[in-house]
Amino acid sequence: MTTTLTKTAPFRYDVVGSLLRPASLKAAHADLAAGKITAKQELAVQRKEIKRIVDEQVKLGLKAVTDGEFSRSWWHLDFLWGLTGVDKYDYHQSYKFKGDHTRTDNAELTGKVAYNPNHPFFEAFSYLQSLVPNGVLAKQTIPSPTMLFRDNRSDNWSKFYDTWDAYLADVAKAYHQTIEHFYELGCRYIQLDDTTWAFLISKLNDPQADHQTYERWATDAVTVINAVLADLPADLTVTTHICRGNFKSTYLFSGSYDVVAPYLGQLNYDGLFLEYDNQRAGGFEVLDQIWHQDQNKRIVLGLVTSKFPELEDPNALTARIQAASAKVPLTNLALSTQCGFASTEEGNQLTESQQWAKLKLVIDTAKSVWQDA
């Protein structure tokens, strides 16, 4: 099998997004919350640390770098709170990870959802863009629009909309305009992170669950995501990361991609980052189902775990990439960690030096597999 890729990203070795927050940034964030320092003082610490980790990513040789998500506390909520019509509230319930639980922050609808030209993520991206050298892309990460369907966040939709479809249309429009503005600021690589598909895997594999309801969720997700992606600039790469939950080295969901593969195959992304660091994700048998509907799509295999410090065997990684290439051509595959290192500011259970070692392993392995890496 051969195919021609029209875009360079996602790269043969790529970074998912979040990086471990240094102690200085955690302290500054806590001091800001306690009123001990000003927002300007916290921002100075944040930007100093962002520059440091951008420089480190460039030094490692990454072709796309992120700001580590240092300007936010949550991978998803900070972005959602920045949209018009969405506000912060205390859900009084935490996300129940395997062996741990999170803070109780959440988002709720307080009006019609709309694009916010003053979204704080725009300023954060502009700072990141100012740091990257020529030949390196500033990669922006935001949560998928499907995150506004989940965890009671859309409970109030009928207060502001006559129909559910009208609500979904506004969500798609707000996201589309947001991505267009990132492009205007110079962004050429954006990733939508999404735990919805892993949630649906858990539900569609549960014989007691209402499968009709969750199949409708999946259909709505495809509709909204593809509406977001429609008619974006041709030189903008948009990918997604299918996340199974990532908090202090724990997880939320398990199960093979097979039950959602027909839906994933319909998504008009340029690339999909799929978690495959352990047996919880199942095997590679479903990859061709996901890939075959759009053979320009690149599948990024998340084979290196970001949850634990032990380094994987490079030979074993190479063997797994070759196994995946039996389902998807090697030219359409790439390598990354299975997730970021700190989807929330708490971070996973490893050190920063171990984090860099993980990313170096991704780079070195990819260079040994692909001649164009």
Side-chain angles (χ1 to χ4, degrees):
M1 292 185 291
T2 60
T3 189
T4 301
L5 290 166
T6 59
K7 298 184 181 181
T8 54
F11 297 101
R12 295 298 185 198
Y13 46 88
D14 216 313
V15 60
V16 173
S18 63
L19 298 169
L20 294 170
R21 311 304 200 268
S24 60
L25 182 57
K26 289 183 177 182
H29 195 177
D31 287 346
L32 177 63
K36 295 179 180 179
I37 63 172
T38 66
K40 185 176 180 180
Q41 289 172 313
E42 192 274 343
L43 182 61
V45 174
Q46 180 191 123
R47 289 192 165 180
K48 178 182 177 181
E49 292 295 353
I50 289 172
K51 184 180 187 310
R52 183 181 64 82
I53 58 103
V54 166
D55 289 345
E56 187 64 35
Q57 291 172 84
V58 171
K59 180 181 173 183
L60 275 174
L62 288 167
K63 298 178 182 180
V65 303
T66 76
D67 64 2
E69 302 181 0
F70 282 13
S71 63
R72 59 185 109 164
S73 179
W74 298 85
W75 66 275
H76 58 331
L77 294 176
D78 296 72
F79 177 84
L80 299 179
W81 294 329
L83 294 171
T84 299
V86 182
D87 283 300
K88 180 178 181 179
Y89 84 110
D90 188 341
Y91 184 37
H92 299 294
Q93 296 183 46
S94 61
Y95 301 100
K96 303 300 190 293
F97 281 76
K98 307 301 180 183
D100 214 323
H101 57 86
T102 67
R103 289 166 279 144
T104 59
D105 295 341
N106 209 332
E108 66 177 349
L109 298 183
T110 54
K112 288 197 170 186
V113 179
Y115 161 69
N116 175 11
N118 299 311
H119 198 297
F121 276 37
F122 295 141
E123 182 180 353
F125 174 78
S126 292
Y127 180 65
L128 173 62
Q129 179 78 343
S130 75
L131 299 175
V132 297
N134 290 335
V136 175
L137 287 183
K139 180 178 181 179
Q140 176 66 43
T141 61
I142 61 175
S144 167
T146 57
M147 301 313 298
L148 274 174
F149 307 175
R150 294 257 322 275
D151 300 314
N152 302 90
R153 295 180 198 123
S154 58
D155 284 358
N156 296 336
W157 73 267
S158 60
K159 294 181 181 179
F160 312 110
Y161 294 95
D162 292 333
T163 66
W164 175 250
D165 286 345
Y167 166 62
L168 296 185
D170 267 6
V171 171
K173 182 178 179 181
Y175 260 78
H176 184 84
Q177 292 178 310
T178 299
I179 292 174
E180 285 184 318
H181 190 59
F182 276 122
Y183 182 86
E184 291 167 359
L185 294 172
C187 183
R188 295 297 181 268
Y189 187 8
I190 192 164
Q191 176 180 292
L192 278 58
D193 295 315
D194 203 341
T195 56
T196 300
W197 300 107
F199 168 77
L200 289 173
I201 287 169
S202 70
K203 293 300 183 182
L204 293 173
N205 278 321
D206 179 358
Q208 305 302 316
D210 179 358
H211 285 201
Q212 186 174 6
T213 293
Y214 295 112
E215 287 165 0
R216 187 165 61 248
W217 275 38
T219 300
D220 286 345
V222 171
T223 299
V224 171
I225 290 168
N226 284 345
V228 171
L229 300 178
D231 301 319
L232 289 172
D235 60 339
L236 174 65
T237 296
V238 188
T239 64
T240 190
H241 169 237
I242 309 301
C243 181
R244 294 168 181 268
N246 191 48
F247 174 72
K248 293 166 66 172
S249 296
T250 62
Y251 67 94
L252 279 171
F253 305 115
S254 299
S256 168
Y257 293 100
D258 56 355
V259 291
V260 296
Y263 303 104
L264 296 181
Q266 296 175 55
L267 298 175
N268 295 328
Y269 287 114
D270 298 304
L272 278 70
F273 286 70
L274 301 180
E275 298 195 354
Y276 268 115
D277 60 326
N278 60 34
Q279 295 305 310
R280 285 191 298 109
F284 297 139
E285 295 82 8
V286 300
L287 288 180
D288 55 349
Q289 297 179 47
I290 297 171
W291 169 79
H292 84 280
Q293 294 188 56
D294 176 5
Q295 297 185 5
N296 283 326
K297 188 180 272 86
R298 182 165 279 178
I299 304 294
V300 186
L301 302 171
L303 302 179
V304 175
T305 190
S306 68
K307 295 184 184 294
F308 306 109
E310 295 78 15
L311 291 175
E312 288 81 354
D313 177 358
N315 292 328
L317 293 175
T318 299
R320 295 197 71 197
I321 294 168
Q322 296 298 337
S325 71
K327 295 297 181 179
V328 175
L330 192 62
T331 191
N332 288 81
L333 294 174
L335 180 65
S336 72
T337 55
Q338 118 282 344
C339 195
F341 293 88
S343 299
T344 68
E345 64 181 298
E346 288 87 350
N348 285 342
Q349 304 298 315
L350 67 170
T351 66
E352 187 173 300
S353 63
Q354 290 166 338
Q355 166 187 267
W356 300 131
K358 287 279 182 172
L359 289 173
K360 186 177 186 301
L361 175 62
V362 168
I363 294 169
D364 290 346
T365 303
K367 286 183 175 181
S368 75
V369 172
W370 290 278
Q371 293 184 348
D372 62 349

